[in-house]
Amino acid sequence: MSPGTYLRFSFLPEKNAFYRWWVRLAGSSAFQSWASAMPGTRRLARKDGEALFDLVSGFVYSQVLQAFVTLDMPALLAREPLPAWRLAARTRMEPRQMEVLCQAAASLKLLKRRRDGSYQLGRLGAALPGVPGLAEMIRHHDVLYRDLQDPMKFLSGTQETELARFWPYVFGQAGTNDPEIAERYSRLMADSQGLVAEETLRTIDFDGAHRLMDVGGGTGAFLRAVREKHPDLRLRLYDLPAVIEGAALPPGADKTGGSFRDAPALPKGADAISLVRVLYDHADATVADLLRKVFVALPADGRVVVSEPMAGGDQPTRTGDAYFAFYTMAMQTGRARSAQEIADHLTRAGFVDVVCHTTYRPFVTGVVSGRKPA
């Protein structure tokens, strides 16, 4: 049976008897017991069983990860392997609790248990410091965990979330003039922007552009990465005044303070505009308004580049459709969109030659670009 025939078959109500039979069979404890013992099916049954238990245990895994980062285990084990009792002494924990944490971290490949009973960094634990901003993101997850404590209340849309208060700038004026809020936002964004910038610049080439304006660019991390690859490109940062005040821009770059939500228009003069991790912070109406302003600000044949974590659309992904979809829902203003949804927004704003690019690490960011008609 071809895929097309199966799809037509599956959507006919009178033909769904097979689907209902399959659901009953898969949900039968007798069938699961049989499948786990049969040579032809036991490997798949075990794999599915482990996957289900991973979902059940996921919250504990995330807490193990947070403890691993909070105690700075990568730094403690950077020079040499250590036994649990030594790690306990250095972190002022009880040896028994540290042993449990180390065993749990080893099961998640954050640590590796040696034959002598000591622990060394595992593959994932050693790699963690090499992912910019990841540790800082994990440290602030306690806010998201509290928001998700009651998932049904969270999904009802009636809950006032802590994460919305953590990112007050997305509501517009709230928090935009508070230096402490701006500094907190800027630090976390800057710490994690390096990896996104690297992935974006692997995908997009700004050759041929004369001036790039990074809208919502925070403290300038993306522009600093652009300067290394395109030393002759003129650069401008556009973001909230309280955010850009502490921006570390590359030599020759300039900055303009403003709110793209409130300003009637964006500054002109750039023939390329980047929106790096901006759209997913905002609702569709705000995104549509911003892209119209970008379109007007660009000259004929000007380019726009959107880079941010994206949902999978027809092929859901864990990072986009589980993590970032729930994260943006907790922010209460934005949402994770698929590359095609972003492409549709660009097309409605007037852009042509819209392309959904393939990135090396789609779990880090997706990239969509478009061009203003000549």
Side-chain angles (χ1 to χ4, degrees):
M1 182 183 293
S2 70
T5 302
Y6 174 76
L7 286 174
R8 291 194 296 274
F9 174 89
S10 63
F11 281 102
L12 291 174
E14 66 273 15
K15 300 294 187 180
N16 278 335
F18 175 79
Y19 171 74
R20 291 192 292 270
W21 170 83
W22 174 80
V23 170
R24 288 195 300 270
L25 181 66
S28 165
S29 58
F31 173 75
Q32 291 294 336
S33 179
W34 173 84
S36 65
M38 292 297 292
T41 57
R42 63 188 177 198
R43 183 176 180 182
L44 180 61
R46 176 179 176 177
K47 184 178 179 181
D48 285 353
E50 289 175 343
L52 280 172
F53 202 81
D54 272 345
L55 293 177
V56 173
S57 310
F59 177 74
V60 178
Y61 297 164
S62 65
Q63 297 298 74
V64 170
L65 176 61
Q66 189 171 47
F68 182 84
V69 169
T70 301
L71 294 172
D72 205 4
M73 300 284 275
L76 291 173
L77 293 166
R79 296 175 63 98
E80 60 179 344
L82 294 172
W85 68 267
R86 292 268 306 273
L87 288 167
R90 293 189 181 187
T91 57
R92 297 182 180 179
M93 285 183 63
E94 291 295 325
R96 173 56 186 157
Q97 277 67 29
M98 176 56 75
E99 183 73 37
V100 171
L101 175 61
C102 288
Q103 286 288 102
S107 75
L108 299 176
K109 295 184 172 56
L110 296 168
L111 296 180
K112 182 178 180 180
R113 184 183 172 99
R114 294 159 57 92
R115 289 184 178 180
D116 62 3
S118 64
Y119 295 91
Q120 66 181 53
L121 288 174
R123 190 173 71 251
L124 298 184
L128 195 150
V131 182
L134 182 57
E136 188 64 30
M137 181 181 293
I138 293 167
R139 287 189 183 97
H140 102 273
H141 269 168
D142 57 330
V143 180
L144 181 60
Y145 296 157
R146 287 192 291 272
D147 285 340
L148 293 175
Q149 187 173 4
D150 184 344
M152 299 314 299
K153 183 178 180 181
F154 175 79
L155 290 168
S156 72
T158 62
Q159 178 179 339
E160 182 180 348
T161 62
E162 282 193 53
L163 204 59
R165 296 195 296 273
F166 188 87
W167 299 120
Y169 74 97
V170 297
F171 289 103
Q173 291 295 335
T176 58
N177 295 314
D178 187 327
E180 183 180 348
I181 290 173
E183 194 276 334
R184 178 178 60 181
Y185 152 67
S186 300
R187 184 177 64 252
L188 181 55
M189 291 297 288
D191 286 345
S192 56
Q193 193 79 316
L195 198 61
V196 177
E198 177 184 326
E199 197 64 29
T200 305
L201 294 173
R202 278 181 173 178
T203 307
I204 291 292
D205 195 332
F206 286 107
D207 286 345
H210 300 287
R211 183 166 192 165
L212 169 68
M213 179 167 68
D214 189 29
V215 174
T219 57
F222 181 66
L223 292 183
R224 293 194 297 273
V226 171
R227 169 65 80 228
E228 292 182 5
K229 189 171 183 181
H230 301 280
D232 298 325
L233 186 61
R234 289 181 294 166
L235 305 174
R236 170 185 279 175
L237 171 66
Y238 181 86
D239 209 325
L240 299 170
V243 172
I244 67 171
E245 185 176 346
L249 295 178
D254 57 45
K255 55 187 177 182
T256 301
S259 167
F260 62 73
R261 288 173 58 101
D262 305 319
L266 293 174
K268 293 188 176 183
D271 56 355
I273 291 178
S274 55
L275 300 164
V276 182
R277 297 198 300 181
V278 171
L279 301 189
Y280 74 160
D281 283 342
H282 300 280
D284 285 342
T286 303
V287 168
D289 181 61
L290 171 58
L291 292 180
R292 283 192 295 268
K293 291 175 182 177
V294 170
F295 185 85
V296 171
L298 285 169
D301 213 33
R303 301 168 61 193
V304 60
V305 174
V306 177
S307 177
E308 64 185 39
M310 297 179 186
D314 293 339
Q315 297 181 328
T317 63
R318 289 187 177 188
T319 52
D321 292 279
Y323 179 80
F324 282 107
F326 272 68
Y327 193 102
T328 53
M329 189 185 299
M331 289 175 64
Q332 297 187 337
T333 60
R335 67 184 187 89
R337 298 173 178 86
S338 69
Q340 187 57 54
E341 286 180 287
I342 293 173
D344 291 343
H345 270 290
L346 289 172
T347 300
R348 286 192 292 270
F351 291 99
V352 298
D353 298 337
V354 177
V355 179
C356 300
H357 300 269
T358 300
T359 59
Y360 289 91
R361 292 176 283 193
F363 57 90
V364 172
T365 193
V367 176
V368 182
S369 66
R371 181 178 61 82
K372 184 172 179 175

